[in-house]
Amino acid sequence: MDVDFSQLRTFAAVLDEGTFDGAAAVLRITPSAVSQRIRALEQHVGQVLLRRTRPVSTTPSGEVVMRLARQVARLEQDASEELGFTADEHAYVTIPLVVNADSMSTWMLRALARMPVRHRALFELHREDEYHSTALLRDGTAMAAVTSVPEPVQGCTSEELGSMRYHAMASVDFAERWFPGGMSPEELQKAPMLTFDRKDDMQDRFLRKRTRRRITAPRNYVPGALEFVDAARLGLGWGMLPDPMLTDSTDLVSLAPDHPFDVPLYWQRWRLESPVLDALTAAVRRTAREVLRQP
């Protein structure tokens, strides 16, 4: 497929900015020129690639073209760097990543800080549940992801990083009030549960594994990793908390100390020979070995 690079850059800019006008401002061309390039790209491909919503979104065919646009841009930047065209100390490259909240709060930022300065890398972090993060790889939004999905997305590689260990935790007062005799199915039906958001089913998976029953409990939604721990400390409910966030947990008690819950994590990245992605993968791999439980 012979595609004009300027059309791919424009296509990516429209999705990044959300509107044709925003893309025009970034590319320093007119909105009419943006529209013409997108129309020409769709005519060349023979399919509608964008839904003209606010913000714009991709069609299934557009997701394929978006991945191509991202990959071409990455290769262009790598080639420019190797040829010395981006030697300017103020020139940076932005790497979009998707990471689950607990990894972001406990170890991922440390990995990013280990990126060699010579790569002049910036990061656009997208927070997503570890079981849903591959969608952003699939549609071209992200170049790499921390995910619990081992099967690589088309065009990506996948490697196991280790497992994040979780424990069912609650405040001492909460545990004494709701579980005086332990986590029985009857009490679990009544005790408030903490959930990150409506995609988060970790507590439910833990309960199914422990009780072999499907339990429907009242729940509080707390969409923030640190806030989630605070909510448990304040007695708003019980929830699954990761090992690295329990270093100072004297005000919390484990509700099932003999039943930890391990969540395997994988690193998926585009299958490209890219010095920047290679360096990032090395930093992620090193940091994960320090924090996660290894196979």
Side-chain angles (χ1 to χ4, degrees), residues 214-230:
R214 184 175 294 276
I215 293 174
T216 302
R219 59 193 69 199
N220 289 302
Y221 295 93
V222 186
L226 298 178
E227 293 82 357
F228 195 95
V229 176
D230 286 341

Side-chain angles (χ1 to χ4, degrees), residues 178-179 182-193 206-207 210-211 215-218 238 255:
W178 291 101
F179 303 116
M183 296 184 79
S184 69
E186 291 73 26
E187 296 301 330
L188 285 167
Q189 294 276 9
K190 305 173 186 176
M193 175 196 298
F206 167 76
L207 290 178
R210 178 171 167 76
T211 68
I215 293 174
T216 302
W238 72 271
L255 301 174

Side-chain angles (χ1 to χ4, degrees), residues 9-176:
R9 293 191 198 98
T10 303
F11 185 74
V14 169
L15 287 170
D16 286 340
E17 301 304 318
T19 65
F20 282 41
D21 288 344
V26 169
L27 298 172
R28 298 182 180 180
I29 58 178
T30 66
S32 176
V34 170
S35 181
Q36 290 173 9
R37 290 182 185 181
I38 297 300
R39 190 180 307 112
L41 179 60
E42 290 180 324
Q43 289 175 347
H44 180 79
V45 175
Q47 300 181 58
V48 175
L49 303 176
L50 288 178
R51 297 185 181 96
R52 272 63 170 179
T53 54
R54 291 187 70 88
V56 297
S57 60
T58 56
T59 64
S61 298
E63 291 180 4
V64 177
V65 175
M66 187 58 180
R67 287 199 302 271
L68 174 62
R70 297 286 196 203
Q71 291 170 354
V72 167
R74 177 71 265 146
L75 291 172
E76 281 187 307
Q77 289 174 327
D78 286 339
S80 295
E81 182 174 329
E82 291 185 41
L83 292 171
F85 294 149
T86 58
D88 182 354
E89 63 177 349
H90 300 297
Y92 290 89
V93 297
T94 298
I95 305 174
L97 306 171
V98 55
V99 185
N100 63 305
D102 289 336
S103 292
M104 194 180 300
S105 297
T106 56
W107 65 272
M108 190 61 182
L109 297 182
R110 191 190 318 170
L112 301 184
R114 285 174 164 168
M115 277 290 287
V117 176
R118 67 178 182 276
H119 290 296
R120 299 183 303 281
L122 299 176
F123 304 97
E124 181 181 358
L125 295 175
H126 300 268
R127 188 181 66 187
E128 183 56 275
D129 180 88
E130 59 268 22
Y131 286 95
H132 298 266
S133 51
T134 53
L136 298 183
L137 274 178
R138 193 171 292 109
D139 68 13
T141 298
M143 296 181 183
V146 175
T147 176
S148 286
V149 180
E151 298 80 14
V153 171
Q154 183 176 5
C156 293
T157 62
S158 177
E159 64 176 276
E160 187 172 2
L161 294 173
S163 296
M164 183 80 83
R165 171 157 287 187
Y166 290 80
H167 301 272
M169 306 291 292
S171 70
V172 175
D173 290 344
F174 184 94
E176 290 176 351

Side-chain angles (χ1 to χ4, degrees), residues 229-278:
V229 176
D230 286 341
R233 286 197 166 104
L234 293 169
L236 290 177
W238 72 271
M240 304 302 295
L241 305 184
D243 261 349
M245 300 184 78
L246 295 176
T247 54
D248 180 20
S249 57
T250 56
D251 50 352
L252 292 170
V253 61
S254 177
L255 301 174
D258 297 328
H259 294 83
F261 191 73
D262 291 341
V263 176
L265 296 175
Y266 300 84
W267 176 245
Q268 291 206 32
R269 52 160 283 190
W270 288 351
R271 190 184 292 114
L272 292 177
E273 292 187 9
S274 166
V276 173
L277 285 179
D278 289 345

